[in-house]
Amino acid sequence: MSGVRVLVGTRKGAFVLSSDAGRAKWEVSGPHFAGWEVYHLKGSPVDPNRIYASQSSGWFGQLLQRSDDGGKTWAPVGNKFEYEGVPGTHKWYDGTPHPWEFKRVWHLEPSLSDPDTVYAGVEDAALFRTTDGGNTWHELAGLRQHGTGSEWQPGAGGMGLHTILIDPTNPNRIYIAISAAGAFRSDDGGVSWKAINKGLVSQYIPDPDAEVGHCVHRMTLHPSRPDVLFMQKHWDVMRSDNAGDLWTEVSGDLPTDFGFPIEVHAHEPETIYVVPIKSDSEHFPIDGQLRVYRSRTGGNSWTPLTNGLPQSNCYVNVLREAMAVDRLDSCGVYFGTTGGQVYVSPDSGDTWQAIVHDLPAVVSVEVQTLP
Amino acid sequence: MIRVVMPFHLRNLAGVGGEVLLDVEGPITRASVLDALEERYPMLRGTIRDQTTQVRRPFLRFFACELDLSDELADTPLPQPVQDGTEPFLIVGAIAGG
């Protein structure tokens, strides 16, 4: 019988939540790597038992862990991330040059065809790749050495590369996004890159439509239409119908267009989900009502989803990596909060229930749909 | 044998319960002790000092014989009681953070 495995990264460890296709009864394992920040875990699409996890600590630095048995046991793999060549500088918060310094791995994106190949998005922003199951990592330096690299600047959470999307029809096409540099695309497997930020407008930078400097929070795509991209920016929900060459705003009737995650339905390429959050700096739901918004029209027209979600006194946040969908016939939607709840909707967002209530603050949520 | 005491999370990572006993060849220095420690427990590489620069991670310190040796040169001989195995070399995590 098919089922799902939800991989949850938190500020104090990782958890694995498992259920059959009913998604009503859950088993919880963890904490794995207790006490460590786990920014992200993700399984190989080719071999679901192969899972990679990013484990980090302010004291002890970065570790990478690998499981070959679906998250039951783990073993450390390589954790040496060296920028290629002389790293140079990017801009610091005050605009002065600041040396590139590796801090942590924000995102792990396993290859669509090889369980030993994984891309890693790191802070300070760069893209690394392993082709030996995580034992060694090498930078795809064309991104950081893109002509604008010296102009990139961190967001409040650091200068992290947080989104990696691989085109399922063309593995040489890779999209990435960086806070707060923007979105970039490679058409040659990561060797060379171009900024794809035309159409983005950000009032918090001197030139609102500059080539780089936009604080992209998250991007997603549907595998059946990899040229169509959706983006949650630091204000503005955007879409592109031409692989990022041009973006248009689709915030439409959202109560606020600020938020962090964005996801697309597994079977409906025009159905997308966001979690509007109040900003500046409050970063909690409007009026204490936790609401996922769904658009069935690829944006512009949005409907609040509230059934099963707290509608009073709720002041949690939902971070950029903390939303995912499964691929069961009735698409499941999942998200985790900084209050430690992980919610599931087994019916595309119509109804919600908490799988767990009291985990440490949730940083990331990924879902594996198991045969 | 050189006695090394690590913080909980590093003991956990290395899969050891208490003190680690190391047979260190040549001069007994912080560098040679950490080299031997990482040789036996490769999963510790990068968690105590930077893998490239060998610089101590900022929230860790090195103590022995009631002395803070954190800012000593890496090739400075460790105190004689550490070399004799009568006192441990302590790797200590900062008491900080949430």
Side-chain angles (χ1 to χ4, degrees), chain A residues 70-191:
Chain A
K72 294 184 182 71
T73 62
W74 299 84
V77 287
N79 62 341
K80 190 172 186 179
F81 290 85
E82 273 192 315
Y83 296 115
E84 188 177 291
V86 178
T89 62
H90 60 81
K91 275 188 177 175
W92 195 232
Y93 292 99
D94 61 2
T96 57
H98 191 82
W100 234 278
E101 296 168 332
F102 173 82
K103 296 184 179 66
R104 58 175 63 81
V105 173
W106 278 35
H107 183 98
L108 294 163
E109 191 65 35
S111 155
L112 302 178
S113 57
D114 174 15
D116 286 334
T117 295
V118 186
Y119 297 87
V122 313
E123 175 190 1
D124 289 340
L127 184 64
F128 284 77
R129 182 174 59 191
T130 178
T131 56
D132 58 10
N135 291 319
T136 60
W137 297 86
H138 303 282
E139 187 189 8
L140 294 166
L143 172 64
R144 193 172 46 81
Q145 293 166 357
H146 177 271
T148 62
S150 60
E151 298 299 310
W152 299 355
Q153 204 163 6
M159 196 173 81
L161 194 161
H162 50 72
T163 296
I164 304 170
L165 302 171
I166 304 168
D167 184 334
T169 64
N170 174 11
N172 281 328
R173 172 165 282 187
I174 306 171
Y175 304 95
I176 66 94
I178 297 167
S179 289
F184 297 83
R185 188 183 79 212
S186 173
D187 292 316
D188 56 11
V191 177

Side-chain angles (χ1 to χ4, degrees), chain A residues 31-42:
Chain A
H32 305 276
F33 328 121
W36 295 67
E37 288 188 300
V38 180
Y39 265 55
H40 196 220
L41 311 93
K42 194 156 188 180

Side-chain angles (χ1 to χ4, degrees), chain B:
Chain B
M1 298 291 274
I2 305 301
R3 298 162 57 194
V4 177
V5 175
M6 294 187 288
F8 166 79
H9 286 298
L10 296 187
R11 295 200 307 270
N12 207 20
L13 181 63
V16 298
E19 279 188 5
V20 172
L21 298 177
L22 296 173
D23 190 6
V24 181
E25 293 184 2
I28 308 300
T29 66
R30 186 176 83 216
S32 65
V33 169
L34 294 181
D35 286 347
L37 182 68
E38 292 173 354
E39 179 69 25
R40 187 188 297 178
Y41 303 105
M43 68 287 284
L44 296 178
R45 288 180 180 143
T47 64
I48 300 167
R49 53 183 181 167
D50 185 277
Q51 293 191 73
T52 303
T53 65
Q54 306 291 291
V55 172
R56 168 179 57 86
R57 291 194 57 79
F59 287 178
L60 294 185
R61 299 196 78 80
F62 305 123
F63 298 163
C65 306
E66 300 185 353
L67 298 172
D68 183 352
L69 307 174
S70 305
D71 296 322
E72 299 285 327
L73 294 175
D75 291 328
T76 302
L78 292 175
Q80 196 61 46
V82 175
Q83 300 196 33
D84 296 342
T86 55
E87 287 288 334
F89 178 70
L90 306 173
I91 301 169
V92 179
I95 305 301

Side-chain angles (χ1 to χ4, degrees), chain A residues 29-315:
Chain A
S29 79
H32 305 276
F33 328 121
W36 295 67
E37 288 188 300
V38 180
Y39 265 55
H40 196 220
L41 311 93
K42 194 156 188 180
S44 164
V46 187
D47 175 5
N49 280 331
R50 173 71 65 85
I51 302 172
Y52 295 90
S54 169
Q55 171 189 4
S56 67
S57 150
W59 291 265
F60 310 115
Q62 178 69 50
L63 291 169
L64 262 295
Q65 296 274 352
R66 192 178 99 191
S67 174
D68 292 325
D69 57 10
K72 294 184 182 71
T73 62
W74 299 84
V77 287
N79 62 341
K80 190 172 186 179
F81 290 85
E82 273 192 315
Y83 296 115
E84 188 177 291
V86 178
T89 62
H90 60 81
K91 275 188 177 175
W92 195 232
Y93 292 99
D94 61 2
T96 57
H98 191 82
W100 234 278
E101 296 168 332
F102 173 82
K103 296 184 179 66
R104 58 175 63 81
V105 173
W106 278 35
H107 183 98
L108 294 163
E109 191 65 35
S111 155
L112 302 178
S113 57
D114 174 15
D116 286 334
T117 295
V118 186
Y119 297 87
V122 313
E123 175 190 1
D124 289 340
L127 184 64
F128 284 77
R129 182 174 59 191
T130 178
T131 56
D132 58 10
N135 291 319
T136 60
W137 297 86
H138 303 282
E139 187 189 8
L140 294 166
L143 172 64
R144 193 172 46 81
Q145 293 166 357
H146 177 271
T148 62
S150 60
E151 298 299 310
W152 299 355
Q153 204 163 6
M159 196 173 81
L161 194 161
H162 50 72
T163 296
I164 304 170
L165 302 171
I166 304 168
D167 184 334
T169 64
N170 174 11
N172 281 328
R173 172 165 282 187
I174 306 171
Y175 304 95
I176 66 94
I178 297 167
S179 289
F184 297 83
R185 188 183 79 212
S186 173
D187 292 316
D188 56 11
V191 177
S192 64
W193 296 82
K194 65 177 286 192
I196 50 167
N197 299 307
K198 193 175 177 186
L200 304 186
V201 179
S202 302
Q203 300 297 338
Y204 45 78
I205 53 179
D207 176 2
D209 59 357
E211 183 185 18
V212 298
H214 304 275
C215 191
V216 177
H217 283 178
R218 191 71 176 156
M219 292 197 305
T220 189
L221 60 76
H222 192 277
S224 71
R225 289 191 323 185
D227 286 350
V228 180
L229 302 175
F230 297 101
M231 172 194 291
Q232 172 70 66
K233 193 166 70 68
H234 186 114
W235 289 305
D236 302 334
V237 179
M238 309 294 294
R239 73 176 282 162
S240 170
D241 290 284
N242 48 21
D245 286 340
L246 181 64
W247 296 89
T248 55
E249 185 175 358
V250 293
S251 306
D253 55 7
L254 285 170
T256 168
D257 55 13
F258 186 94
F260 291 96
I262 186 165
E263 264 299 341
V264 58
H265 190 284
H267 314 302
E268 301 170 15
E270 286 291 306
T271 297
I272 53 178
Y273 301 87
V274 296
V275 184
I277 291 291
K278 192 170 188 309
S279 192
D280 277 349
S281 82
E282 294 102 317
H283 291 189
F284 46 61
I286 296 171
D287 297 329
Q289 299 175 314
L290 183 54
R291 297 178 167 198
V292 175
Y293 275 69
R294 178 176 63 198
S295 171
R296 292 198 185 277
T297 55
N300 287 318
S301 177
W302 298 87
T303 303
L305 308 173
T306 62
N307 190 346
L309 298 177
Q311 295 305 297
S312 63
N313 302 319
C314 181
Y315 293 94

